[in-house]
Amino acid sequence: MSATAELFVGRTGELAMLRQVMAEVDAGHPRTVLLTGPAGIGKSSLLERFFAESSGATLIRAGGEEWEALVAYGVVDQILRRAGRPGYLPTGRNRASPPDEPVSAGTLVLETLADLGRDSTVLLVVDDVHWADVDSLRALLFALRRLGQERVFTLFVTRDEDAVRLPNGLVRLADGSTGRSIQLGALGERDIRELATARGVPRLSLTTAQRLREHTRGNPLYIGALLSELPADRWQSWEPTLPAPRVFAEQIVRRLEAGSTSTRSLVEACAVLGVRSSLRTAATLADITEPVGVFEEAVAGGLLRATDSRDFWDATFPHPLIRAAVYEHVAPARRVHLHRRAAELLDDTGTALRHLVAASSAPDPGLADRLDAFARREMSWGAWAGAGSALMEASRLSQDRNQREERLLRAADAIVSAGDLPQASVLSAEIAAFAPGPLRDAALGYLAVLRGRVGEAEALLTTGWERAVSSGDPHLQALLALRWTLHSVGRLRGADVVEWSRRSIELVPGDEAVRLEVAALHGLGLGLMGRVPDGLAAYRSVLDSVTGDEGSIVGRLTMARSWLQIVVDDIDAVPEVLARVAPAQLRSGSIRIAVWSYIWLSRAHYLRGEWDEASTAADRAVSLLEETGHEWLRPLARWVAVEICANRGDWSAARDHLAEASAGETDCELMILAAGLAAAELAWARGDHEAVLTALDPVLFVRPPRDGIDEPGFWPWQHLYADALIGLDRLDEAAAFLDRHEREAKDRDRRSSIARLARVRGRLEAARGRMDEAESAIRHGLDQLGDLHLPFDQALIELAYGQLLRRRGRRRDASRYLNLAMDRFTALGAHPHMERCARELEGSGLIYAKKDEFDPIRLTRQELAIARLAATGLKTREIAAEMSISVKTVQFHLGNIYQKLGVHSRLELAHHMISREPSAARGDT
């Protein structure tokens, strides 16, 4: 990949927007685009890619230059010469020219563009427009405002920091009905990892990609420079120290050395303290008694920036790379001295330890012990990322080899818990070379569990448990028992979850951290055994005993409890709770629990009929999994995404998700079940009965124990399987299958499961010609749903009842239930089921009676939010980032928006939203 191509990484959304504008221009609608972004962000690379695609257009490229800014008509002269009209502009013009001259020059530009536009589309580009002379800008604006149907695409390009120099007329033109502003923003973590792979740095961890993004503000020029300048193994270390690119650093050092001695001291002190620090602390560290004047000099030199706070100024660096350049320039001995003094000045334990670590170049057993103690406190409330960092440093500073390896093993364990599996995988190669022992087996086994590798996980955990028992160390045994507990969750074996969690807490009854971690899984194990009320009671008891200081542990307990609440149809409060838990888990560094939370948040929204919100949560779960490599949750997250897309009729998106939901025979049962469910949901929505059975065969033939697979309410696969059997006229098999699962659902009093199976029972009895029994079954299903707010399940039963009543000749009653079903399907956007309803009504000569308040062009809440963002000129990628959803989800909703509002482009959408937003949003704001 060339350097230009690398800088293009992550710009597909912006390229698509330029393509869209070009299509409008080709259709005879002249357009003006203002392209902005900081230096090095990839503006030129984007344009070069776009120009290569637009080879049929006539390209005229001009540019401003600082020293030519006072040369009248300099840019216009460039345009005319490159258009083949040299000498057309009269010479001798200057800033004292009569005021009507821009009109004459503008007319000449207008005529030139019109002539060229007769043969092909004209692509007029003005680079560094902020340095264009005033006369040229006046002439250009005069011409562009008078374009009619000429095929002229004008691109003005400038840096963010120079955009304030642009004349108001140009800004208004870009923001008007024939213009658009495109701002190139920072690269995301996924783009950075792609760029790293292109530069020969594969498997860049999510943590490192995030650090690199913050360090460079996502600028591809700086990212590429660092990837080239630093050795490849530097990127595989945990939280690598990142310098500034060499050329950038040299510029900053020259600026630093041009200042006074006091200014250099203050800036160096700030660099040691971090990207942001209090001026008072920095001045004390630099031994400056009167810092205000010194600070002002640093600000004037572009080295520091002031940020007001309540009690004093905060000193910040204008860019993180400035801080890195200054920090690297500080002499090593002075840097050590400043770090040691900073540790004495600061009250925060974690920050003080960070400074002491930075000042240490040799083993320091005392500091290593302090870091170890700090890591234990971090782990006690679930701050795994912070604990992993502290233990990595503790390992480096440990003198004893056994202690060094033990701390590195615990660091790897914490990093896995934090969710950074790529980084943990890098460490696993080093750990595998350690001497055999229970802690080594626990760390490697934990990694195997979260990859879904059943055989590897069980071999490591079995050996580890035996070694832990032989050691006689109860803490090691408790750790292995915890890993067995989590492994049993992946295998959906509730009895094993309960047994291993019991062992763990009995081994170390006084360890509060272990008690809380066990509790997060123990209640779930009870639920998988069919004892959901006991599981919920256990969660209530533990949560009542927890104070507000345990941080992410509370979130883990709440997430698991919410899962059980969904199982027993107690859903109403779940979305609100999980909407708080999921982002909080991300902030605390527990990505795995955040993913679980987003999955069940999506599932709760889906069941409640809030499919836009469900789609957003599912996309967030999928995105996190793609970044972190948690294999065992991948099919589960894709299942909830497939379920939404399939029942909306978005077959392409559903297939894309399904392609990532695969599981093999050697994977854990959780993966096999979720992958089968995902494939079955898509096949069922399409009415493909054979495909449903094929998808669920791996689920049906999982060997005992099957308590976590068959338990009603956990995994809604039973009604899909029975439905497919009936569709294939395998009625006796369906009857035997239903008998067992109906009995289990009734025994557990799982009302939604009873209702889903009752609908299928009604179909079975109708296929056998037993109409009274069929009607009784379906009415029983309707009664079970009762006060449960499950609109999709309700609509499916109403559709089945309408079909049955029509077959019995009760057309009026059939019409009532079919119309009720159609109303619910329409509100959900469940297009395949709307079509089935419509066919049923049409086949019986019935008419769908729309409710008075139903408006077919009404936008849902999420569609309205996307429409508003699109109307402001945001590109698809920016909308996705703003709303934390995928690009494909945005594209799907935009398609619905265009269809509902009868528009064909973003420009038309913008006009519509300005003129008719109240009607577009009616009923959903």
Side-chain angles (χ1 to χ4, degrees), residues 141-333:
L141 293 176
F142 176 87
L144 295 178
R145 281 196 290 262
R146 283 157 180 79
L147 290 171
Q149 295 183 330
E150 291 85 356
R151 292 177 296 165
V152 178
F153 184 169
T154 308
L155 259 166
F156 292 116
V157 186
T158 187
R159 300 181 193 174
D160 283 345
E161 56 268 33
D162 295 314
V164 294
R165 301 170 56 89
L166 300 181
N168 291 332
L170 191 154
V171 175
R172 286 196 300 270
L173 186 64
D175 289 340
S177 60
T178 61
R180 184 166 301 165
S181 293
I182 300 177
Q183 182 173 25
L184 294 191
L187 294 184
E189 285 84 1
R190 192 178 306 172
D191 300 323
I192 291 172
R193 293 165 90 177
E194 181 183 343
L195 183 55
T197 300
R199 285 291 179 103
V201 186
R203 301 185 306 278
L204 193 71
S205 75
L206 173 64
T207 301
T208 302
Q210 289 171 336
R211 284 170 55 79
L212 186 53
R213 185 178 191 271
E214 293 170 3
H215 187 64
T216 62
R217 291 186 177 167
N219 188 300
L221 181 66
Y222 299 148
I223 294 169
L226 287 174
L227 289 169
S228 297
E229 292 173 9
L230 297 182
D233 58 356
R234 178 88 164 264
W235 298 104
Q236 305 305 328
S237 60
W238 174 251
E239 296 186 340
T241 301
L242 301 176
R246 281 194 292 267
V247 173
F248 184 96
E250 289 168 1
Q251 295 172 349
I252 298 304
V253 168
R254 283 196 296 269
R255 202 185 302 174
L256 178 69
E257 292 180 342
S260 66
T261 302
S262 296
T263 299
R264 289 200 300 274
S265 296
L266 180 65
V267 175
E268 288 172 353
C270 288
V272 166
L273 289 170
V275 174
R276 177 173 182 153
S277 58
S278 79
L279 178 58
R280 184 167 59 195
T281 303
T284 302
L285 186 59
D287 294 321
I288 296 173
T289 55
E290 298 293 337
V292 176
V294 179
F295 184 46
E296 288 177 347
E297 181 182 337
V299 170
L303 295 168
L304 292 177
R305 187 174 59 197
T307 301
D308 291 331
S309 68
R310 256 182 254 174
D311 302 320
F312 44 79
W313 282 347
D314 279 349
T316 67
F317 286 90
H319 195 288
L321 288 178
I322 296 177
R323 183 254 172 181
V326 173
Y327 183 82
E328 290 290 320
H329 182 65
V330 179

Side-chain angles (χ1 to χ4, degrees), residues 669-742:
E669 283 80 355
L670 176 65
M671 297 174 68
I672 293 171
L673 177 58
L677 257 174
E681 286 283 3
L682 177 56
W684 179 77
R686 304 200 74 160
D688 188 343
H689 306 302
E690 286 283 5
V692 171
L693 298 187
T694 300
L696 291 175
D697 271 347
V699 176
L700 197 67
F701 294 111
V702 168
R703 291 188 302 240
R706 296 179 51 91
D707 48 359
I709 292 176
D710 294 335
E711 182 61 30
F714 272 89
W715 314 107
W717 67 274
Q718 297 91 339
H719 70 287
L720 301 178
Y721 191 83
D723 221 357
L725 289 174
I726 296 166
L728 295 172
D729 203 31
R730 293 163 60 175
L731 304 186
D732 290 342
E733 291 177 67
F737 183 86
L738 280 172
D739 286 344
R740 175 193 163 198
H741 290 286
E742 283 175 326

Side-chain angles (χ1 to χ4, degrees), residues 108-130:
L108 186 56
V109 171
L110 180 61
E111 292 171 351
T112 301
L113 295 176
D115 289 345
L116 293 173
R118 292 191 182 97
D119 299 324
S120 66
T121 296
V122 178
L123 187 51
L124 174 60
V125 182
V126 182
D127 291 306
D128 294 325
V129 66
H130 54 281

Side-chain angles (χ1 to χ4, degrees), residues 742-759:
E742 283 175 326
R743 184 169 56 253
E744 290 181 354
K746 181 181 178 182
D747 290 345
R748 302 284 197 262
D749 193 28
R750 306 281 161 75
R751 291 167 58 190
S752 62
S753 297
I754 293 171
R756 294 183 190 111
L757 294 172
R759 178 187 65 81

Side-chain angles (χ1 to χ4, degrees), residues 320-456:
L321 288 178
I322 296 177
R323 183 254 172 181
V326 173
Y327 183 82
E328 290 290 320
H329 182 65
V330 179
R334 175 167 167 74
R335 194 187 306 161
V336 168
H337 169 71
L338 290 173
H339 275 301
R340 285 177 177 162
R341 284 205 62 198
E344 297 170 358
L345 290 171
L346 298 169
D347 296 328
D348 180 74
T349 302
T351 305
L353 286 173
R354 178 176 63 81
H355 283 292
L356 290 174
V357 167
S360 300
S361 57
D364 186 337
L367 179 55
D369 290 343
R370 292 176 63 184
L371 287 163
D372 194 310
F374 175 77
R376 292 180 189 278
R377 288 196 298 273
E378 292 289 283
M379 285 188 288
S380 70
W381 64 276
W384 302 108
S389 297
L391 285 169
M392 289 285 288
E393 295 296 349
S395 173
R396 182 179 66 83
L397 295 168
S398 298
Q399 204 159 26
D400 178 74
R401 176 181 174 180
N402 291 333
Q403 203 168 43
R404 189 164 57 247
E405 290 186 354
E406 184 262 347
R407 283 167 172 162
L408 187 61
L409 286 167
R410 288 169 50 216
D413 207 62
I415 291 169
V416 173
S417 294
D420 197 345
L421 262 65
Q423 181 61 47
S425 298
V426 172
L427 288 177
S428 67
E430 182 178 354
I431 291 170
F434 287 1
L439 197 56
R440 169 187 173 276
D441 294 335
L444 295 176
Y446 192 12
L447 188 59
V449 167
L450 295 185
R451 287 171 169 170
R453 299 175 181 175
V454 173
E456 181 183 348

